[in-house]
């Protein structure tokens, strides 16, 4: 990284045109001289880790069993540019609430996989890994682990995978908790007539994402191979690609560190860089392009029967509108709205996240 060729004389525009050079140079310097990858390894190694194979594709996952014998199994799925390390701060409270001042009845057995082509699941040469196929793999994973009844929790890409999972394994999925749920209008102008100011602001936020903040989505959904060369060749390029999202999609005012610990951000970037999965993770966008928010249309969600819980964090790229959510998901049984937090809720606001997942779990019949 000390041989990086930096762009010269870019306009001083803050974050308006992307990651500022001054910010990135400082972050890269810390990555080189202050960041401790071995500490990240040690933290991950506190938990059992495994790999398994689905149709010739390797999937890495954490499997952390609770000490409570009646714990509820739950599979948790990250998004892009995410990683299993998003969940490190919530694993303890969720699996062992007794040791964290909680009720043992709220305990979970956790299964936390890396999406195909992401991180320790490794570069994935196989095409066709979209939401339904990944959902089927997750159902098979839970079956292989001996879990006959379980919950799913997810955000970002993970929400699409988990909605697909709800469709293919409704016999075993007891409930679904999401903190990403785009709720596009149906196209009927009358549907917008009596929206309040808050809901109109949410629509405007979604529109701004599609208009101004979805450049990486459009590139990766259409030309993932071309993007892959830069991400695989340059650690600084890979870091900038990720840092921008942690600024735009989190509850941050001046820099990603307003919302996310700097070393945790670098841990996520390091995993993409060390495993060479910047390009293969981009393939997921291509595979699910018709389901992306750049192509939103009502009715794109599968019908699900499982009870659904929704946690609304106001600084996520898409903030759902309740009436539109009820239109598409009549099985909503839990809806929470918070005054802080963004796309990476388990990482940004672990306490709020844990309490909301526990509250949803209490509504689920055994």
């Amino acid at each position: 990284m000390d041989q990086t060729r930096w762009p010269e004389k870019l306009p001083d525009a803050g974050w308006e045109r992307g990651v500022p050079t001054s910010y990135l140079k400082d972050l890269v310097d810390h990555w080189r001289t202050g960041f401790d990858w071995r500490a990240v390894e040690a933290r991950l190694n506190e938990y059992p880790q495994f790999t398994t194979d689905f149709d010739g594709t390797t999937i890495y996952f954490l499997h952390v069993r609770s000490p409570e014998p009646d714990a509820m199994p739950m599979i948790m799925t990250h998004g892009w540019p995410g990683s299993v390390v998003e969940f490190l701060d919530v694993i303890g409270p969720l699996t062992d609430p007794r040791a964290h001042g909680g009720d043992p009845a709220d305990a979970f057995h956790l299964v936390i996989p890396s999406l195909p082509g992401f991180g320790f699941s490794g570069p994935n040469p196989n095409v066709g890994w979209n939401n339904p196929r990944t959902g089927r793999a997750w159902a098979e994973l839970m079956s292989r682990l001996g879990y006959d009844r379980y919950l799913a929790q997810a955000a970002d890409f993970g929400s699409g995978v988990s909605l697909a999972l709800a469709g293919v394994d409704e016999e075993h999925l007891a409930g679904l908790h999401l903190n990403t749920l785009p709720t596009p209008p149906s196209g009927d102008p009358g549907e917008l007539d009596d929206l309040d100011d808050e809901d109109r602001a949410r629509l405007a936020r979604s529109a701004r994402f599609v208009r101004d903040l979805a450049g990486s989505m459009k590139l990766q959904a259409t030309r993932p191979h071309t993007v892959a060369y830069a991400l695989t060749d340059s650690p600084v390029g890979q870091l900038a690609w990720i840092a921008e999202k942690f600024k735009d999609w989190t509850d941050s005012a001046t820099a990603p560190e307003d919302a996310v610990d700097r070393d945790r951000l670098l841990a996520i970037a390091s995993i993409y860089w060390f495993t060479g999965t910047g390009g293969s993770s981009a393939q997921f966008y291509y595979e699910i392009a018709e389901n992306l928010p750049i192509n939103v249309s009502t009715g794109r969600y599968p019908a699900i029967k499982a009870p659904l819980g929704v946690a609304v964090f106001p600084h996520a790229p898409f903030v759902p509108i309740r009436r539109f959510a009820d239109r598409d998901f009549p099985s909503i049984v839990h809806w929470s709205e918070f005054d802080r937090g963004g796309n990476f809720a388990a990482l940004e606001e672990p306490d709020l996240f844990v309490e909301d997942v526990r509250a949803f779990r209490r509504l689920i019949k055994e």
Side-chain angles (χ1 to χ4, degrees):
M1 286 184 282
D2 57 353
Q3 299 298 315
T4 299
R5 187 173 68 166
W6 294 94
E8 298 295 334
K9 298 182 180 180
L10 293 180
D12 184 6
W15 287 84
E16 182 179 334
R17 300 185 182 214
V19 184
T21 306
S22 58
Y23 169 82
L24 192 60
K25 284 184 175 180
D26 181 66
L27 187 61
V28 167
D29 183 65
H30 179 67
W31 199 11
R32 292 179 58 244
T33 63
F35 172 68
D36 185 356
W37 169 252
R38 297 303 176 192
V40 179
E41 283 187 338
R43 185 76 186 279
L44 280 169
N45 288 336
E46 293 175 7
Y47 305 111
Q49 301 163 70
F50 306 90
T51 60
T52 191
D53 181 89
F54 296 99
D55 300 331
T57 295
T58 297
I59 298 296
Y60 160 95
F61 63 98
L62 301 174
H63 183 200
V64 188
R65 289 188 59 83
S66 171
E68 305 296 338
D70 295 327
M72 169 68 81
M74 181 165 66
I75 186 166
M76 304 177 73
T77 310
H78 65 82
W80 182 92
S83 164
V84 297
V85 303
E86 286 179 44
F87 302 111
L88 288 178
D89 293 335
V90 303
I91 291 174
L94 289 175
T95 58
D96 194 2
R98 186 192 304 267
H100 292 80
D103 184 344
D106 291 331
F108 296 89
H109 301 306
L110 296 182
V111 179
I112 309 175
S114 284
L115 287 166
F118 285 68
F120 298 122
S121 287
N124 178 21
N126 300 313
V127 300
W129 279 96
N130 54 18
N131 288 334
R133 187 177 183 185
T134 308
R136 290 193 295 272
W138 278 196
E140 174 63 21
L141 175 59
M142 297 304 277
S143 176
R144 291 180 187 180
L145 295 173
Y147 293 132
D148 185 62
R149 183 170 168 80
Y150 61 93
L151 299 180
Q153 198 291 319
D156 198 87
F157 272 173
S159 290
V161 169
S162 297
L163 287 166
L165 172 62
V168 301
D169 201 27
E170 65 179 44
E171 179 183 354
H172 301 106
L173 186 70
L176 177 59
H177 181 277
L178 305 177
N179 49 288
T180 297
L181 189 69
T183 53
S186 66
D188 176 6
E191 191 177 48
L192 308 179
D193 287 345
D194 58 348
L195 291 181
D196 60 23
D197 290 344
E198 174 62 29
D199 285 342
R200 291 184 183 280
R202 293 181 180 192
L203 282 178
R205 182 174 182 83
S206 297
R208 177 174 181 262
F209 173 81
V210 173
R211 183 183 67 247
D212 298 334
L213 305 180
S216 59
M217 177 183 294
K218 294 172 184 177
L219 285 170
Q220 294 182 142
T222 57
R223 294 295 185 270
H225 283 182
T226 306
V227 174
Y229 302 113
L231 297 180
T232 306
D233 184 60
S234 169
V236 172
Q238 176 69 86
L239 178 59
W241 199 240
I242 290 174
E244 179 191 281
K245 302 311 155 196
F246 275 84
K247 169 60 172 62
D248 288 343
W249 298 353
T250 63
D251 189 355
S252 59
T254 61
E257 290 88 338
D258 295 341
V260 175
D261 179 79
R262 170 174 277 203
D263 282 352
R264 192 63 61 83
L265 169 60
L266 290 172
I268 292 171
S270 295
I271 290 171
Y272 279 85
W273 175 249
F274 293 156
T275 60
T277 51
S280 60
S281 63
Q283 304 297 319
F284 206 86
Y285 273 100
Y286 186 88
E287 300 289 357
I288 67 166
E290 65 180 15
N291 300 121
L292 290 173
I294 54 175
N295 296 316
V296 292
S297 61
T298 189
R300 64 190 172 83
Y301 294 118
I304 66 169
K305 297 179 180 179
L308 175 62
V310 180
V312 179
F313 292 88
H315 296 278
F318 288 89
V319 183
I321 294 172
R322 179 65 192 263
R323 72 165 68 176
F324 295 167
D326 287 335
R327 175 199 65 203
D328 292 334
F329 297 101
S331 66
I332 293 174
V333 299
H334 173 82
W335 183 279
S336 297
E337 300 210 6
F338 300 99
D339 62 0
R340 62 187 189 274
N343 193 59
F344 307 93
L347 184 55
E348 295 179 62
E349 300 292 345
D351 293 342
L352 295 180
F353 178 88
V354 166
E355 285 307 313
D356 202 68
V357 172
R358 288 173 176 172
F360 173 68
R361 185 256 184 275
R362 294 176 196 131
L363 299 175
I364 303 303
K365 296 179 181 179
E366 295 294 341

